[in-house]
Amino acid sequence: MDFKPLSHFIDRITTWRIPWAEVLVIHRNETVYRYRNGYVNLEEMTPINNGQIINMYSMTKILTCTAALQLVEKGEILLNDPLSFYLPEFLEMSVQKTLHNGEVVQDKAERPIMVRDLFTMTAGFCHDFAAPFIQEVKNRTNGKVPTRIFVKALAKEPLLFEPGTRWNYSFCHDVLAALVEVVDGRQFSTYIRDEITGPLGLKDTGFDLSIEQQSRLAPQYEYDKELGKPIRKDENIARFGSEYESGGAGLFSTVNDYAMFLNTLTNLGTSSNNIRILSPASVELMRTDHLTESTRGDFSWEHMAGYGFGLGVRTHISATKSGSLSSIGEFGWSGAAGCLAIIDPNSQLTVMYGQQLLNSQEPIVHPRLRNIIYSCL
């Protein structure tokens, strides 16, 4: 395997808009390539290092859906259960509807939100971090925003559409984390530690950081087009409460840690040292395309052409539409600051790509990165 083209690509993007980038490639449980370039701190010109902790943002979703699938395996929940069986605040929901004259009204939802709607982003929730109800919860809880209180407030908001009829990127996986809490009885972060990160030996993956870990947290940047350079922007808008554990975007981790978790999914739920967190059947269900005729048109991001949406992950379904060199069934997700997960059981390939730049240039970087990696194999 010759990964020189991949090294060249990382060098190119880190002299373009990306402050730093790192890629770790695991093939058949062996690390076959690792490369990094750029500065984790542009002001001090500090090179990226091995233990750098980063905001995972929406890469959190893969782990949250893994946790919820564990409950499916234990018979604690079913995908076809109404959500209100477990979270009664979602029993009677209202839906926004637009009349022929353009007037927006609220009406009672015709069907319940199902547990599967949380996994598949079809519940009808919004994804507005600046929504008034979030500010109200922050004020009412003195900035704590416990997960359950946030979810109860979300349940009072009208849905954007009838559950199950459309796809919309939203707070679905935040609600899924609350579902895990209520069904299992443990705080979500405790469940994650006890059932996933602890058994796998992931010491730097979680929702809170120790003082030592805070010293390893990478600064965050955003590219400013007018200035023509990245500027410091450390606020994580997804962490809007001191007690809020966002199942959709709240995790911290390292490239090393998260690669170990991703590789466990590549191995259909069992780590390279034989720690099982999911069954092969669950991983196959996760990477199966769950879009329907009514929801497929909403999953229309240009760089996701040729991909369907499984249980919280993109999944490759058409090489002719994607132009991707990856296997059919390759799956994963990405994060707001530019991280990317590639999980491919068919090729026995795991890729963890890390960066920390909001307005991440994902449509440009990720498809190219994927094709280069597969060509190097």
Side-chain angles (χ1 to χ4, degrees), residues 161-275:
F161 50 81
E162 285 286 344
T165 63
R166 296 191 60 187
W167 186 92
N168 184 56
Y169 201 59
S170 67
F171 289 122
C172 278
H173 295 159
D174 293 60
V175 179
L176 194 60
L179 175 64
V180 172
E181 275 198 358
V182 169
V183 171
D184 177 76
R186 283 172 284 182
Q187 188 173 336
F188 186 58
S189 58
T190 302
Y191 181 93
I192 292 299
R193 183 194 65 211
D194 292 349
E195 303 297 333
I196 300 176
T197 61
L200 292 178
L202 312 185
K203 300 184 183 301
D204 286 324
T205 301
F207 291 95
D208 294 296
L209 299 176
S210 67
I211 294 176
E212 186 278 328
Q213 287 172 324
Q214 289 175 17
S215 70
R216 291 188 280 126
L217 179 63
Q220 187 170 266
Y221 292 87
E222 183 174 75
Y223 187 78
D224 188 304
K225 290 184 179 180
E226 292 186 3
L227 295 177
K229 65 179 183 179
I231 58 173
R232 188 82 170 257
K233 190 172 183 180
D234 284 332
E235 180 187 10
N236 182 332
I237 60 174
R239 302 180 63 84
F240 45 71
S242 60
E243 296 181 7
Y244 185 60
E245 295 177 346
S246 169
L251 274 181
F252 297 107
S253 192
T254 63
V255 169
N256 274 353
D257 259 20
Y258 225 65
M260 290 172 63
F261 163 63
L262 299 176
N263 193 56
T264 301
L265 297 181
T266 296
N267 290 330
L268 298 178
T270 300
S271 69
S272 58
N273 59 344
N274 293 318
I275 302 298

Side-chain angles (χ1 to χ4, degrees), residues 90-105:
F90 291 100
L91 178 60
E92 294 185 3
M93 297 299 294
S94 60
V95 181
Q96 286 185 6
K97 295 185 178 180
T98 303
L99 302 180
H100 293 297
N101 62 4
E103 180 183 2
V104 178
V105 299

Side-chain angles (χ1 to χ4, degrees), residues 66-373:
T66 297
L69 279 171
Q70 289 181 333
L71 298 186
V72 173
E73 291 190 345
K74 295 171 184 175
E76 300 286 350
I77 62 175
L78 293 173
L79 294 187
N80 292 330
D81 281 341
L83 177 59
S84 60
F85 279 11
Y86 311 100
L87 305 180
E89 59 264 35
F90 291 100
L91 178 60
E92 294 185 3
M93 297 299 294
S94 60
V95 181
Q96 286 185 6
K97 295 185 178 180
T98 303
L99 302 180
H100 293 297
N101 62 4
E103 180 183 2
V104 178
V105 299
Q106 294 183 21
D107 200 359
K108 184 178 179 180
E110 296 176 4
R111 58 148 282 187
I113 300 172
M114 312 302 282
V115 170
R116 74 163 58 247
D117 291 323
L118 300 182
F119 283 96
T120 59
M121 291 287 181
T122 55
F125 300 134
C126 71
H127 196 231
D128 182 4
F129 291 105
F133 85 89
I134 294 179
Q135 191 61 49
E136 188 277 328
V137 174
K138 288 176 68 173
N139 294 336
R140 176 159 48 89
T141 63
N142 295 317
K144 295 180 179 179
V145 196
T147 305
R148 286 293 290 118
I149 293 179
F150 167 82
V151 169
K152 288 180 179 179
L154 176 63
K156 296 178 182 178
E157 297 293 304
L159 300 174
L160 302 181
F161 50 81
E162 285 286 344
T165 63
R166 296 191 60 187
W167 186 92
N168 184 56
Y169 201 59
S170 67
F171 289 122
C172 278
H173 295 159
D174 293 60
V175 179
L176 194 60
L179 175 64
V180 172
E181 275 198 358
V182 169
V183 171
D184 177 76
R186 283 172 284 182
Q187 188 173 336
F188 186 58
S189 58
T190 302
Y191 181 93
I192 292 299
R193 183 194 65 211
D194 292 349
E195 303 297 333
I196 300 176
T197 61
L200 292 178
L202 312 185
K203 300 184 183 301
D204 286 324
T205 301
F207 291 95
D208 294 296
L209 299 176
S210 67
I211 294 176
E212 186 278 328
Q213 287 172 324
Q214 289 175 17
S215 70
R216 291 188 280 126
L217 179 63
Q220 187 170 266
Y221 292 87
E222 183 174 75
Y223 187 78
D224 188 304
K225 290 184 179 180
E226 292 186 3
L227 295 177
K229 65 179 183 179
I231 58 173
R232 188 82 170 257
K233 190 172 183 180
D234 284 332
E235 180 187 10
N236 182 332
I237 60 174
R239 302 180 63 84
F240 45 71
S242 60
E243 296 181 7
Y244 185 60
E245 295 177 346
S246 169
L251 274 181
F252 297 107
S253 192
T254 63
V255 169
N256 274 353
D257 259 20
Y258 225 65
M260 290 172 63
F261 163 63
L262 299 176
N263 193 56
T264 301
L265 297 181
T266 296
N267 290 330
L268 298 178
T270 300
S271 69
S272 58
N273 59 344
N274 293 318
I275 302 298
R276 176 165 155 164
I277 61 171
L278 276 183
S279 68
S282 293
V283 177
E284 292 295 353
L285 184 63
M286 175 185 270
R287 69 174 180 146
T288 297
D289 180 25
H290 288 258
L291 293 176
T292 65
E293 185 177 346
S294 66
T295 62
R296 190 168 305 280
D298 297 315
F299 191 62
S300 56
W301 300 340
E302 185 175 349
H303 62 290
M304 291 291 183
Y307 281 81
F309 194 78
L311 298 182
V313 293
R314 68 169 193 279
T315 184
H316 193 200
I317 59 174
S318 173
T320 57
K321 291 182 179 179
S322 68
S324 175
L325 301 182
S326 65
S327 305
I328 297 300
E330 170 259 310
F331 68 106
W333 200 243
S334 57
C339 293
L340 172 68
I342 297 175
I343 308 165
D344 189 347
N346 296 353
S347 297
Q348 298 181 54
L349 175 73
T350 303
V351 178
M352 174 62 199
Y353 169 75
Q355 65 167 59
Q356 190 88 318
L357 180 76
L358 297 169
N359 62 358
S360 63
Q361 318 300 309
E362 176 179 331
I364 298 172
V365 174
H366 290 181
R368 289 171 169 81
L369 182 78
R370 183 186 296 113
N371 281 347
I372 293 171
I373 290 169

